[in-house]
Amino acid sequence: MSWYRKLHWQILIGLFAGLIYGVIAAANGWSQFTENWIAPFGTIFINSLQLIAVPLVLASLVTGVASLSDLKKLSRIGGKTIAIYLATTAIAVTTGLVIVNVMRPGHQIPEEVRAGLQEAYASDATAGEAAAAEARERGPLQILVDLVPDNFFNAASSNRNMLQVVFVALFLGVGLIQVPAKTAKPLLEAFEGLTAVVIRLVDLIMLIAPLGVFSLIANTITTVAGDDLGRVLELVGALGSYSLAVVLGLAVHMGVTYVALLKLFTPMKIRTFYEGIAPAQLVAFSTSSSGATLPVTMERCEEKLGISEEVSSFVLPLGATVNMDGTALYQAVAAVFISQALGMGLDLGQQLTIVLTATVASIGTAAVPGAGVIMLVIILESIGVPIAGIALILGVDRILDMLRTVTNITGDAVVATMVAASENQLRKPELSEKSDRIRVTR
Ligand code: ASP
């Protein structure tokens, strides 16, 4: 098959075309035109992914759990998954801390730039503060309370409630194991059918992925730049070393930590892994949302990496909401950068506090664009750094959000591969050229 017929190349072409168009549009003041005529295709793409996320998680998880004949296996997989999620996140935070402490980007920011940024983003920072105050006022066990919905339809009505949907699916799956096989059969078959159909729908939606990605990227650039591209370039210049620290951290985590984990704990070839997961990474990059990317991540893991549905349907939806290595790493770098820029040194105790709070904060971060910066407030508070300092980093946040979301979903796929390998549930990946073609017909 020619290279340009492969999905990840098509999306990449869409992405670059969007980038070039976005820059030209921002330079020529076409942001209104872009918003009216280009952006809607991106919205349709994200909406259609979100539309199938809840049915996919519900149906595949119910089927996955019900096929585990004993509950012991479920708790073993669950325990393993959560332990690896926490460990990889802690490694990510530590990587970020080492890099930001060595590079010291906060010390390089000139006084007048700092004052300018603080003034420009003061009101945005206050808005973030209010959202974080709400998060802070919740009791320590609220996270458990939030897990259990009082009404299934409410839970299923918002993609922000994915953990509740996971809970309902687990609950339902456990119920299905408990009743006689004959009674469970019709419902189980219905869920199996729904899973198969939704996975096929992902294939269909991916047909418009290149166009969706084009319009998402174009619109992001014109929205961030307004009609003044120079301002963005100025910002990127001023916050260049901070952005570089985040990007370097993410690159080390993806290129060293994940590679090492895959090599040590799985038989998966690194190239097969990254080629298989590439379309999901590109969708994550352009949507900045792990939640919206979830259907694509699941489809790629099952069909291209050979991870069993039993493992992927449990590990990935959970990971999309609780495992955010990229976000945690970014939060750690941002917290130290802000404290450096404000001239406050952080001792070892405060840095360890960052490891702990960033790990927890990333769990509580919603899988939607810009959520990471809201939880950053909690980290800043825990180390006594003024929250208004967030204004310093807001200018480049959207760009970094795209990159950290890529890391977030890659981390989920790495852990799913590790869990599947340890449970003997990793088929030989089918990354043949033929199987990479999008199937529209049977
Ligand atoms: N956008 C990120 C995600 O969905 C969360 C964040 O860091 O803002 O994974």
Side-chain angles (χ1 to χ4, degrees), residues 288-322:
S288 284
S289 165
S290 314
T293 313
L294 180 61
V296 189
T297 320
M298 285 179 78
E299 193 248 12
R300 299 305 292 187
C301 282
E302 283 171 26
E303 299 206 345
K304 299 290 180 265
L305 302 186
I307 296 171
S308 75
E309 194 185 316
E310 201 174 287
V311 168
S312 80
S313 65
F314 175 72
V315 177
L316 294 173
L318 194 70
T321 29
V322 307

Side-chain angles (χ1 to χ4, degrees), residues 266-287:
T266 77
M268 178 81 66
K269 287 209 181 71
I270 305 302
R271 180 156 177 214
T272 312
F273 176 83
Y274 275 105
E275 252 187 53
I277 204 71
Q281 290 178 318
L282 293 169
V283 171
F285 182 79
S286 35
T287 59

Side-chain angles (χ1 to χ4, degrees), residues 131-151:
E134 206 181 286
R136 206 180 317 123
E137 268 159 27
R138 296 143 48 94
L141 293 185
Q142 189 62 34
I143 187 163
L144 289 181
V145 176
D146 287 347
L147 209 61
V148 188
D150 61 352
N151 181 315

Side-chain angles (χ1 to χ4, degrees), residues 7 14 39 71 98 109 123 139-140 149 164 191 246-247 261 309 314 401 416-417:
L7 184 58
L71 292 178
V98 170
I109 181 161
S123 60
Q164 295 190 340
F191 279 122
V246 176
V247 173
L261 289 174
E309 194 185 316
F314 175 72
D401 193 3
T417 313

Side-chain angles (χ1 to χ4, degrees), residues 11 14-15 18 38-46 205-219 283 286-287:
I11 303 180
L15 197 147
I38 308 282
F41 297 104
T43 312
I44 292 172
F45 177 58
I46 295 201
I205 294 171
M206 290 310 277
L207 286 175
I208 60 156
L211 175 65
V213 166
F214 168 85
S215 74
L216 284 169
I217 296 290
N219 190 47
V283 171
S286 35
T287 59

Side-chain angles (χ1 to χ4, degrees), residues 288-291 320 324 326-327 330-331 365-373 397 401 404-405 408-409:
S288 284
S289 165
S290 314
M324 297 201 178
T327 299
Y330 140 84
Q331 286 169 334
T365 304
V368 295
V373 76
D397 201 62
D401 193 3
R404 62 190 192 241
T405 308
N408 290 346
I409 67 111

